[in-house]
Amino acid sequence: MFEHNSQGIEQELTVFVPMDDNGGLPIKLQRLKLRNDSSRPRRLSVTYYVEWVLGEHRESSQLHVVTSWDDEAQALLARNRYHPDYGDRVAFAAINTPADSHSGDRTSFLGRNRSLSNPAAMEHVKLSGRTGAGFDPCGAIQVVLEIEPGETTEITCLLGQAGSTEEVRAWVTGFWDSLALETAQQKTVEWWDHLLGAVEVHTPELATDFLINRWLRYQSLSCRIWGRSSVYQSGGAYGFRDQLQDVMAFLHGYPELTREHILLAASRQFKEGDVQHWWHPPDGAGVRTRISDDLLWLPYVVAQYVRTTGDADILHTEIPFLDAPMLEEDQLEIILTPEITSERATLFEHCRRAVTRSLAWGPHGLPLMGTGDWNDGMNRVGVGGKGESVWLAWFLIDVLQGMVELSELLGQPNSSQAYTQERKALIERVEHTAWDGAWYLRAIFDDGTPLGSAASKEARIDSLPQAWAQLSGAADPDRTGRALESAWQHLVREEEGLILLFDPPFETAVPSPGYIKGYPPGVRENGGQYTHAALWFAMAMARRGDGTRAAGMLRMLNPIEHARTPESVWRSG
């Protein structure tokens, strides 16, 4: 809700996406209330303006966007028939009152060498009325309002998309009624209150309460799960590991969402057990890779879901597999649209195939790193097929424990015993191979060179294996304590409020760990603060029993704490 007062007019704009029981409707509503606080009648024009994209980039799609005006709905329509997936969809913009004029021509609206800060249309009596093909497309609708002194009036602007012109008319005319708008707004507020209020924490840190209560779950759902977008990465694809991690935030408040996404993710698994690193709906085009951790997030999240909800029935749900050519020996990845097979299997079988494919060991008996584990930028460490990941070993140990529990729930003692033995043997191999004297190694290159060793010049210590030694609950307690202490000493910079992923950053390392070296030292995964990993570190400290340090780390990570002064905003932004 935005409020403003100028020229004697009190203005209130409420923006929301109406919700129903199944989630958000494909329409955005903007309710504008205007109150005339002056002593004379006022005659005002209100113009609603949008620029159509109807594709990935406006620059590439604008030539194909065709606009038209629909008298019945009093709506401006826009179509891009050339879009490969959504060519039959209709976008629309409307105001819930008869329009005085409209335009689909951005050039005539803005004027020559002008911009939205000073559009030529504001100097004209009405808009051009031009729609059709061949224009630089926009959607502009104008209404004229007359408001008496002390009087309040309101209009609602609608923006959305539908399957047909008839459906557009139904949406628009359905919101002409002010009661329908009030009901939609109230239902939307109640929907969000129910979801965001499901879990509430109270701590001595008010900034922590502000962040955790409502805001993080709102962001996780709207940005990460629905939008799948961010300021620097507006791709719209599902990441196999990414959204599986995200939906764990809703295990307590919205478990149906978690369940639904688990089944969706399982449907993006190849019959051989590996998965699409990312994919785009609706046709499922995506990438098949040699990244080693993606597939394990399925059994990890399934185990967490069953532990939390008690819904063991999900394990019996049958889901199909994907079929596509395997990667050639010299291929690291391939973008393709796989077929959905007729073969179906239970969710537990999908988890089993993921784990079975991951039980592939390098020369030291540790999991193969492939072309990246959690850190995709380390895509050259195991590119030759021999490099091993210590972090992945700890993660796999945790996953195996989950498979033990799921096997027992399903009454499969032989499977439970087999996973228990695999887990025990892997723990022994990690302790034998990966301990570096004061912390655990991060990985081992194809040629046997250790990564994350005290003898290394770059990336001597990485937080991931130290944190997951604790989080897996499997490492030697004395070593774990020493590893976390080492990570604290080397990676936590209290005065600067930073928790580094590893240190020192990569610059000239040989052998090369991969494209991570393309990031400047200290930026993103190359030795900067990567919040995901830093949170694992804080979790490990908490589970270790060091609540003081864990709370201090959360304080360092909290963006509210970096916004207390203009100087800290500038430095952290």
mmCIF file of all heavy atoms in Angstrom, residues 86-107:
data_model
loop_
_atom_site.group_PDB
_atom_site.id
_atom_site.type_symbol
_atom_site.label_atom_id
_atom_site.label_comp_id
_atom_site.label_asym_id
_atom_site.label_seq_id
_atom_site.Cartn_x
_atom_site.Cartn_y
_atom_site.Cartn_z
ATOM 1 N N TYR A 86 3.790 -19.986 -25.383
ATOM 2 C CA TYR A 86 2.614 -19.250 -24.936
ATOM 3 C C TYR A 86 1.983 -18.423 -26.054
ATOM 4 O O TYR A 86 1.365 -17.393 -25.801
ATOM 5 C CB TYR A 86 2.984 -18.344 -23.752
ATOM 6 C CG TYR A 86 3.626 -19.100 -22.610
ATOM 7 C CD1 TYR A 86 4.977 -18.949 -22.325
ATOM 8 C CD2 TYR A 86 2.875 -19.981 -21.840
ATOM 9 C CE1 TYR A 86 5.567 -19.654 -21.279
ATOM 10 C CE2 TYR A 86 3.455 -20.695 -20.806
ATOM 11 C CZ TYR A 86 4.798 -20.523 -20.527
ATOM 12 O OH TYR A 86 5.366 -21.228 -19.505
ATOM 13 N N GLY A 87 2.130 -18.876 -27.285
ATOM 14 C CA GLY A 87 1.591 -18.132 -28.421
ATOM 15 C C GLY A 87 0.085 -18.001 -28.420
ATOM 16 O O GLY A 87 -0.473 -17.107 -29.070
ATOM 17 N N ASP A 88 -0.606 -18.872 -27.687
ATOM 18 C CA ASP A 88 -2.066 -18.820 -27.659
ATOM 19 C C ASP A 88 -2.604 -18.015 -26.479
ATOM 20 O O ASP A 88 -3.822 -17.906 -26.302
ATOM 21 C CB ASP A 88 -2.644 -20.234 -27.610
ATOM 22 C CG ASP A 88 -2.180 -21.007 -26.382
ATOM 23 O OD1 ASP A 88 -1.143 -20.616 -25.798
ATOM 24 O OD2 ASP A 88 -2.846 -21.997 -26.010
ATOM 25 N N ARG A 89 -1.720 -17.466 -25.652
ATOM 26 C CA ARG A 89 -2.175 -16.711 -24.485
ATOM 27 C C ARG A 89 -2.493 -15.264 -24.867
ATOM 28 O O ARG A 89 -1.957 -14.717 -25.836
ATOM 29 C CB ARG A 89 -1.111 -16.721 -23.384
ATOM 30 C CG ARG A 89 -0.654 -18.104 -22.960
ATOM 31 C CD ARG A 89 -1.786 -18.946 -22.409
ATOM 32 N NE ARG A 89 -2.263 -18.453 -21.121
ATOM 33 C CZ ARG A 89 -3.243 -19.033 -20.427
ATOM 34 N NH1 ARG A 89 -3.846 -20.112 -20.906
ATOM 35 N NH2 ARG A 89 -3.625 -18.540 -19.267
ATOM 36 N N VAL A 90 -3.356 -14.647 -24.065
ATOM 37 C CA VAL A 90 -3.756 -13.253 -24.286
ATOM 38 C C VAL A 90 -3.422 -12.453 -23.032
ATOM 39 O O VAL A 90 -3.906 -12.758 -21.940
ATOM 40 C CB VAL A 90 -5.270 -13.142 -24.564
ATOM 41 C CG1 VAL A 90 -5.629 -11.700 -24.900
ATOM 42 C CG2 VAL A 90 -5.685 -14.078 -25.674
ATOM 43 N N ALA A 91 -2.585 -11.439 -23.188
ATOM 44 C CA ALA A 91 -2.311 -10.520 -22.076
ATOM 45 C C ALA A 91 -3.292 -9.364 -22.166
ATOM 46 O O ALA A 91 -3.773 -9.017 -23.252
ATOM 47 C CB ALA A 91 -0.879 -10.014 -22.143
ATOM 48 N N PHE A 92 -3.597 -8.761 -21.025
ATOM 49 C CA PHE A 92 -4.574 -7.671 -21.052
ATOM 50 C C PHE A 92 -4.281 -6.641 -19.976
ATOM 51 O O PHE A 92 -3.700 -6.939 -18.934
ATOM 52 C CB PHE A 92 -6.004 -8.213 -20.879
ATOM 53 C CG PHE A 92 -6.273 -8.887 -19.561
ATOM 54 C CD1 PHE A 92 -6.750 -8.177 -18.468
ATOM 55 C CD2 PHE A 92 -6.049 -10.250 -19.409
ATOM 56 C CE1 PHE A 92 -7.006 -8.797 -17.251
ATOM 57 C CE2 PHE A 92 -6.297 -10.890 -18.200
ATOM 58 C CZ PHE A 92 -6.776 -10.166 -17.119
ATOM 59 N N ALA A 93 -4.681 -5.418 -20.256
ATOM 60 C CA ALA A 93 -4.645 -4.326 -19.290
ATOM 61 C C ALA A 93 -6.002 -3.641 -19.351
ATOM 62 O O ALA A 93 -6.572 -3.468 -20.442
ATOM 63 C CB ALA A 93 -3.532 -3.344 -19.618
ATOM 64 N N ALA A 94 -6.518 -3.266 -18.188
ATOM 65 C CA ALA A 94 -7.860 -2.679 -18.159
ATOM 66 C C ALA A 94 -8.014 -1.815 -16.917
ATOM 67 O O ALA A 94 -7.234 -1.906 -15.969
ATOM 68 C CB ALA A 94 -8.928 -3.780 -18.179
ATOM 69 N N ILE A 95 -9.048 -0.972 -16.934
ATOM 70 C CA ILE A 95 -9.488 -0.218 -15.763
ATOM 71 C C ILE A 95 -10.968 -0.540 -15.570
ATOM 72 O O ILE A 95 -11.714 -0.661 -16.545
ATOM 73 C CB ILE A 95 -9.276 1.295 -15.956
ATOM 74 C CG1 ILE A 95 -7.780 1.604 -16.108
ATOM 75 C CG2 ILE A 95 -9.836 2.081 -14.768
ATOM 76 C CD1 ILE A 95 -7.464 3.083 -16.331
ATOM 77 N N ASN A 96 -11.376 -0.706 -14.334
ATOM 78 C CA ASN A 96 -12.747 -1.179 -14.085
ATOM 79 C C ASN A 96 -13.796 -0.065 -14.204
ATOM 80 O O ASN A 96 -14.693 0.059 -13.376
ATOM 81 C CB ASN A 96 -12.851 -1.861 -12.721
ATOM 82 C CG ASN A 96 -12.684 -0.877 -11.573
ATOM 83 O OD1 ASN A 96 -12.051 0.167 -11.732
ATOM 84 N ND2 ASN A 96 -13.246 -1.212 -10.420
ATOM 85 N N THR A 97 -13.644 0.718 -15.233
ATOM 86 C CA THR A 97 -14.630 1.748 -15.566
ATOM 87 C C THR A 97 -14.421 2.060 -17.042
ATOM 88 O O THR A 97 -13.302 1.895 -17.555
ATOM 89 C CB THR A 97 -14.432 3.012 -14.697
ATOM 90 O OG1 THR A 97 -15.509 3.903 -14.898
ATOM 91 C CG2 THR A 97 -13.128 3.707 -15.037
ATOM 92 N N PRO A 98 -15.438 2.451 -17.760
ATOM 93 C CA PRO A 98 -15.262 2.729 -19.194
ATOM 94 C C PRO A 98 -14.130 3.714 -19.454
ATOM 95 O O PRO A 98 -14.020 4.755 -18.800
ATOM 96 C CB PRO A 98 -16.625 3.292 -19.611
ATOM 97 C CG PRO A 98 -17.584 2.671 -18.653
ATOM 98 C CD PRO A 98 -16.845 2.590 -17.337
ATOM 99 N N ALA A 99 -13.273 3.352 -20.413
ATOM 100 C CA ALA A 99 -12.111 4.182 -20.719
ATOM 101 C C ALA A 99 -12.503 5.357 -21.599
ATOM 102 O O ALA A 99 -13.386 5.253 -22.460
ATOM 103 C CB ALA A 99 -11.049 3.344 -21.416
ATOM 104 N N ASP A 100 -11.837 6.490 -21.400
ATOM 105 C CA ASP A 100 -12.041 7.646 -22.264
ATOM 106 C C ASP A 100 -11.154 7.582 -23.497
ATOM 107 O O ASP A 100 -11.516 8.103 -24.556
ATOM 108 C CB ASP A 100 -11.761 8.929 -21.476
ATOM 109 C CG ASP A 100 -12.847 9.202 -20.450
ATOM 110 O OD1 ASP A 100 -13.899 9.732 -20.848
ATOM 111 O OD2 ASP A 100 -12.662 8.851 -19.273
ATOM 112 N N SER A 101 -9.978 6.960 -23.371
ATOM 113 C CA SER A 101 -9.102 6.766 -24.524
ATOM 114 C C SER A 101 -8.071 5.691 -24.193
ATOM 115 O O SER A 101 -7.911 5.294 -23.036
ATOM 116 C CB SER A 101 -8.407 8.087 -24.923
ATOM 117 O OG SER A 101 -7.583 8.556 -23.862
ATOM 118 N N HIS A 102 -7.394 5.244 -25.245
ATOM 119 C CA HIS A 102 -6.396 4.173 -25.057
ATOM 120 C C HIS A 102 -5.361 4.259 -26.168
ATOM 121 O O HIS A 102 -5.547 4.975 -27.163
ATOM 122 C CB HIS A 102 -7.079 2.801 -25.076
ATOM 123 C CG HIS A 102 -7.710 2.473 -26.401
ATOM 124 N ND1 HIS A 102 -9.020 2.801 -26.694
ATOM 125 C CD2 HIS A 102 -7.213 1.892 -27.536
ATOM 126 C CE1 HIS A 102 -9.309 2.412 -27.922
ATOM 127 N NE2 HIS A 102 -8.223 1.861 -28.450
ATOM 128 N N SER A 103 -4.290 3.487 -26.010
ATOM 129 C CA SER A 103 -3.258 3.424 -27.048
ATOM 130 C C SER A 103 -2.407 2.180 -26.864
ATOM 131 O O SER A 103 -2.134 1.769 -25.734
ATOM 132 C CB SER A 103 -2.355 4.666 -27.006
ATOM 133 O OG SER A 103 -1.312 4.562 -27.969
ATOM 134 N N GLY A 104 -1.994 1.587 -27.990
ATOM 135 C CA GLY A 104 -1.047 0.479 -27.964
ATOM 136 C C GLY A 104 0.263 0.865 -28.612
ATOM 137 O O GLY A 104 1.094 -0.010 -28.905
ATOM 138 N N ASP A 105 0.481 2.139 -28.812
ATOM 139 C CA ASP A 105 1.665 2.633 -29.522
ATOM 140 C C ASP A 105 2.567 3.410 -28.556
ATOM 141 O O ASP A 105 2.253 4.547 -28.182
ATOM 142 C CB ASP A 105 1.219 3.530 -30.679
ATOM 143 C CG ASP A 105 2.390 4.108 -31.456
ATOM 144 O OD1 ASP A 105 3.530 3.630 -31.253
ATOM 145 O OD2 ASP A 105 2.161 5.030 -32.260
ATOM 146 N N ARG A 106 3.652 2.810 -28.187
ATOM 147 C CA ARG A 106 4.567 3.428 -27.223
ATOM 148 C C ARG A 106 5.188 4.709 -27.782
ATOM 149 O O ARG A 106 5.398 5.680 -27.041
ATOM 150 C CB ARG A 106 5.661 2.418 -26.862
ATOM 151 C CG ARG A 106 6.709 2.899 -25.870
ATOM 152 C CD ARG A 106 7.621 1.731 -25.487
ATOM 153 N NE ARG A 106 8.695 2.129 -24.601
ATOM 154 C CZ ARG A 106 9.912 2.500 -24.990
ATOM 155 N NH1 ARG A 106 10.188 2.544 -26.298
ATOM 156 N NH2 ARG A 106 10.838 2.842 -24.123
ATOM 157 N N THR A 107 5.468 4.723 -29.064
ATOM 158 C CA THR A 107 6.115 5.890 -29.662
ATOM 159 C C THR A 107 5.232 7.130 -29.556
ATOM 160 O O THR A 107 5.690 8.220 -29.191
ATOM 161 C CB THR A 107 6.457 5.615 -31.134
ATOM 162 O OG1 THR A 107 7.329 4.471 -31.198
ATOM 163 C CG2 THR A 107 7.153 6.814 -31.771
#
